[in-house]
Amino acid sequence: EAATRYGLALTLMRMKDFAGAKKQYETLRQTAGTHPIVDTLGCRIRETAGETDAALACYRDAAKAYPKHRALVYAYSEALLQAGRADPALDVIGGGLQQFSDDPQLYLLQARAYALQGKRLAQHRATGEAYARMGNVRGAVEQMQIALKSGDGDFYQLSVTEARLRELRKIADAERKEQRR
């Protein structure tokens, strides 16, 4: 029954019947109890209904209750980015990266947040890290090169990016040698 109610709430949300979706959500909460997926659904309904502040508060509370739920980190970060709130999005993404350091999706979200802030070096470095974790080392090298040419960033950021570029080039060289064999 919980899966049916969840699906019905999603369908009603997509049909923009937010009152019906909220009703199904409330019934689902009563029958299924608290769960990160259920809480995320409630936040998504608010978000889709245009209740941005209520949705962000919902996500914040859910993230406190379920800090290790990756889909919730994605949804909360996405909602913050959609609302143009890059700084809190970076806080949420940073927390997610501490737990899931090899998650390319988090790096792509981080790149979007840096883009909102106009931080091109950080944006391209984060994109490069996402590509590296997706196995696209060549793309990662290109992104790091773009980052270094961006013209922003301080000495420390440039140094970290240059060091990472050297590491990625070594990996790319090893991959090329392996492909020749």
Side-chain angles (χ1 to χ4, degrees), residues 125-144:
R125 188 177 67 218
T127 303
E129 292 297 348
Y131 287 178
R133 282 152 178 81
M134 288 186 260
N136 181 357
V137 179
R138 186 176 302 163
V141 167
E142 289 173 11
Q143 286 298 312
M144 295 298 172

Side-chain angles (χ1 to χ4, degrees), residues 17-107:
D17 178 359
F18 301 117
K22 286 177 184 178
K23 184 177 178 181
Q24 289 300 320
Y25 163 72
E26 290 302 329
T27 305
L28 176 62
R29 271 198 76 131
Q30 291 170 4
T31 58
T34 59
H35 188 278
I37 294 172
V38 174
D39 288 2
T40 302
L41 173 65
C43 301
R44 285 184 60 202
I45 292 168
R46 289 179 181 96
E47 183 182 1
T48 307
E51 301 169 13
T52 303
D53 290 337
L56 292 177
C58 177
Y59 282 125
R60 183 190 61 239
D61 294 344
K64 284 180 186 174
Y66 310 104
K68 296 182 188 249
H69 191 71
R70 195 181 311 219
L72 182 55
V73 173
Y74 294 160
Y76 187 18
S77 301
E78 184 68 44
L80 287 164
L81 291 172
Q82 291 293 327
R85 300 180 188 179
D87 290 343
L90 285 168
D91 290 341
V92 172
I93 294 162
L97 284 170
Q98 286 179 351
Q99 297 175 67
F100 314 110
S101 62
D102 282 338
D103 188 326
Q105 182 63 31
L106 288 173
Y107 283 100

